[in-house]
Amino acid sequence: MTSTTGPTGPFAAPKGVPDYVPPRSRAFDAVRRTLLAAADRAGYSPIELPVFEDTALFARGVGESTDVVAKEMYSFADRGGRSVTLRPEGTAGVMRSVIENRLDKGSLPVKLVYSGPFFRYERPQAGRYRQLQQVGIEAIGSDDPALDAEVIAVADEAFRAVGLAGYRLELTSLGDHTSRPAYRELLQRFLSDLPLDEATRERARLNPLRVLDDKRPAVQEMLADAPLLLDHLGAESAEHFTEVRALLDALGVRYVINPRMVRGLDYYTRTTFEFVHPGLGAQSGMGGGGRYDGLMSELGGAALSGIGFGIGVDRTLMAAEAEGVQVGSSARCEVYGIPVGPGTTGPLVALAGELRRAGIRTDLAYGGRALKSAMKLANDSGARVALLLGENELAAGTVTVRDLGSGEQASIASGRVVEHVVSLLG
Ligand code: HAM
């Protein structure tokens, strides 16, 4: 994943696992912080969870028939012989922790936000990694359609705050446990009349909804008249969905209805959504989520409903790059200090400390560099201001403050440098 021309060391990052190194890591970090900030603005509290859990949690929570559980888990026996799995997603772990820490007994809804790495043994390709990073939120303990609208709006706001414009929000309802079995039967009847191959027939038997997601054009053609779940919702789910749509309209969140949406995880009920970015190529899902009203009780907790999303940080960064959006500052620092000559490093180190305490991002040239090479480093750092301290300045009790944009410079009394720099940076 690195692009270098010279020889590299004997080790490479694991296949399908990206490194983020400067300067791109700055943009990655800015994307993640921007996504987290959108959740913070809506009252979500951070939760920090284990990166590995009991394998059974995911088998139960995510669903045995999903690709994620059946084919993609990093599972291994630890030294005590327990089967543990690197988390493939965040929702099951959040539910486990909410139940274990009795958060469901406090005020509802419980609103949580998390970020970190997740692991799926997928076939690596552009935008599809084996270690992926997400920012996710979960809101547990309320059926209120206003909560669905909030969760979707937080994701939409987060993408907007990153600076993205060219994405689409797809929305549907997957119904509830009362309406879905009847629909499932209807779909299974429809599928049984089609000339499907053996593997697809088996899928139709285990999870007929997933057949709707078959990408082969010939299969898609056969499915043109397939019954759609959205047309067979129970009265309660239909009303809930209407309400969610009205609230999104009121919030100014634009969406398209995609009645054929199929999510990769089994726990979804009712409101379900995906953010799709056409600039991402085949792996176009930037984020997705929905309700999971039966998950908590499935995992041994109270019968509380929930809704949330997971946003892919890797893919959001790729979408920003595709749109030509610069996220965060590419500059490493704002001020770059250059000591020139004996005795100048100490005072400049102290000045750098003062500037940092004043909230100004400051770096220094180290190792007694010549002025010319230090000036090059100053320019490369992205700093807007250079501080030059030579023997003359030292004797006069001043510092030369140079605006790296205009090239103008002034001699400033050392006690007033911070103030002067603050005004220069505006
Ligand atoms: P998910 O749709 O499986 O949902 O993943 C969410 C996002 O993670 C995707 O939209 C995508 O951006 C990113 N992602 C997934 N797999 C990869 C990969 N292999 N490489 C790069 N990015 C990837 C969930 O994980 C649910 N837990 C979301 C949720 C929370 N639903 C309710 N609450």
Side-chain angles (χ1 to χ4, degrees):
M1 293 257 165
T2 51
S3 60
T4 170
T5 45
T8 56
F11 298 111
K15 189 166 181 252
V17 178
D19 284 336
Y20 290 96
V21 300
R24 196 166 178 246
S25 53
R26 299 194 64 80
F28 181 90
D29 183 58
V31 167
R32 181 173 44 204
R33 277 188 283 117
T34 306
L35 299 174
L36 285 167
D40 186 56
R41 285 197 293 277
Y44 289 75
S45 301
I47 182 165
E48 295 290 337
L49 293 176
V51 166
F52 62 91
E53 300 259 10
D54 188 337
T55 300
L57 172 69
F58 300 116
R60 225 8 209 292
V62 176
E64 305 261 20
S65 78
T66 60
D67 279 356
V68 169
V69 169
K71 303 184 193 156
E72 297 171 0
M73 294 211 297
Y74 279 90
S75 301
F76 55 97
D78 73 5
R79 286 174 189 275
R82 301 168 201 88
S83 177
V84 293
T85 294
L86 299 182
R87 59 184 186 185
E89 64 94 52
T91 313
V94 170
M95 291 307 118
R96 194 269 307 142
S97 180
V98 165
I99 298 167
E100 188 173 342
N101 293 289
R102 299 178 179 279
L103 301 185
D104 52 332
K105 306 286 187 281
S107 35
L108 300 177
V110 183
K111 300 194 353 178
L112 302 166
V113 55
Y114 53 88
S115 69
F118 297 87
F119 306 86
R120 298 181 188 179
Y121 194 82
E122 298 198 77
R123 202 164 43 77
Q125 63 180 81
R128 186 161 72 191
Y129 303 133
R130 288 182 172 170
Q131 177 175 311
L132 56 123
Q133 304 241 12
Q134 284 185 7
V135 166
I137 69 174
E138 312 293 349
I140 302 136
S142 172
D143 276 333
D144 194 333
L147 193 58
D148 302 45
E150 174 183 285
V151 166
I152 294 170
V154 167
D156 189 57
E157 250 324 299
F159 290 129
R160 274 174 210 246
V162 166
L164 297 177
Y167 60 89
R168 155 176 103 242
L169 163 60
E170 298 187 352
L171 187 67
T172 194
S173 172
L174 295 181
D176 56 32
H177 294 303
T178 55
S179 59
R180 219 181 307 170
Y183 168 74
R184 197 183 138 102
E185 231 170 83
L186 193 70
L187 181 61
Q188 258 164 344
R189 264 208 307 280
F190 173 87
L191 295 173
S192 69
D193 290 340
L194 300 180
L196 297 168
D197 60 82
E198 209 30 62
T200 313
R201 269 185 193 293
E202 178 63 7
R203 202 159 346 125
R205 203 178 55 74
L206 286 174
N207 192 340
L209 267 84
R210 205 144 283 173
V211 177
L212 294 179
D213 198 30
D214 200 309
K215 299 283 188 285
R216 291 172 294 181
V219 178
Q220 273 310 322
E221 213 169 293
M222 287 192 260
L223 295 173
D225 295 327
L228 297 172
L229 180 45
L230 205 51
D231 299 326
H232 296 271
L233 296 179
E236 239 179 274
S237 287
E239 199 181 309
H240 191 268
F241 192 51
T242 304
E243 190 68 22
V244 172
R245 292 180 57 173
L247 289 161
L248 287 175
D249 292 339
L251 275 160
V253 175
R254 295 168 55 136
Y255 55 85
V256 291
I257 302 294
N258 175 7
R260 288 169 179 264
M261 187 189 304
V262 177
R263 302 274 298 134
L265 314 163
D266 266 357
Y267 46 62
Y268 291 110
T269 56
R270 297 203 270 183
T271 313
T272 307
F273 56 92
E274 249 169 17
F275 287 84
V276 175
H277 199 294
L280 289 176
Q283 303 303 314
S284 60
M286 255 194 331
R291 278 206 165 269
Y292 41 83
D293 291 345
L295 181 59
M296 186 100 152
S297 53
E298 179 66 31
L299 295 176
L304 291 181
S305 59
I307 178 165
F309 67 63
I311 293 178
V313 184
D314 314 87
R315 289 190 193 166
T316 306
L317 172 61
M318 289 172 73
E321 289 167 345
E323 282 196 32
V325 170
Q326 155 88 43
V327 195
S329 158
S330 62
R332 264 191 321 107
C333 59
E334 298 162 280
V335 174
Y336 197 89
I338 303 176
V340 192
T344 56
T345 296
L348 213 47
V349 164
L351 188 52
E354 259 186 79
L355 285 161
R356 288 170 186 156
R357 279 194 291 279
I360 297 168
R361 295 155 58 222
T362 306
D363 195 9
L364 293 182
Y366 292 104
R369 282 178 180 272
L371 181 59
K372 196 166 163 217
S373 93
M375 278 306 288
K376 181 171 178 338
L377 289 182
N379 283 312
D380 290 350
S381 75
R384 287 166 57 196
V385 171
L387 304 179
L388 300 154
L389 186 61
E391 284 166 272
N392 292 344
E393 284 95 343
L394 197 58
T398 61
V399 173
T400 297
V401 179
R402 186 181 170 100
D403 182 323
L404 290 170
S406 66
E408 277 170 32
Q409 60 183 45
S411 181
I412 306 294
S414 37
R416 313 205 50 180
V417 171
V418 175
E419 187 189 325
H420 184 76
V421 166
V422 168
S423 75
L424 265 186
L425 293 176

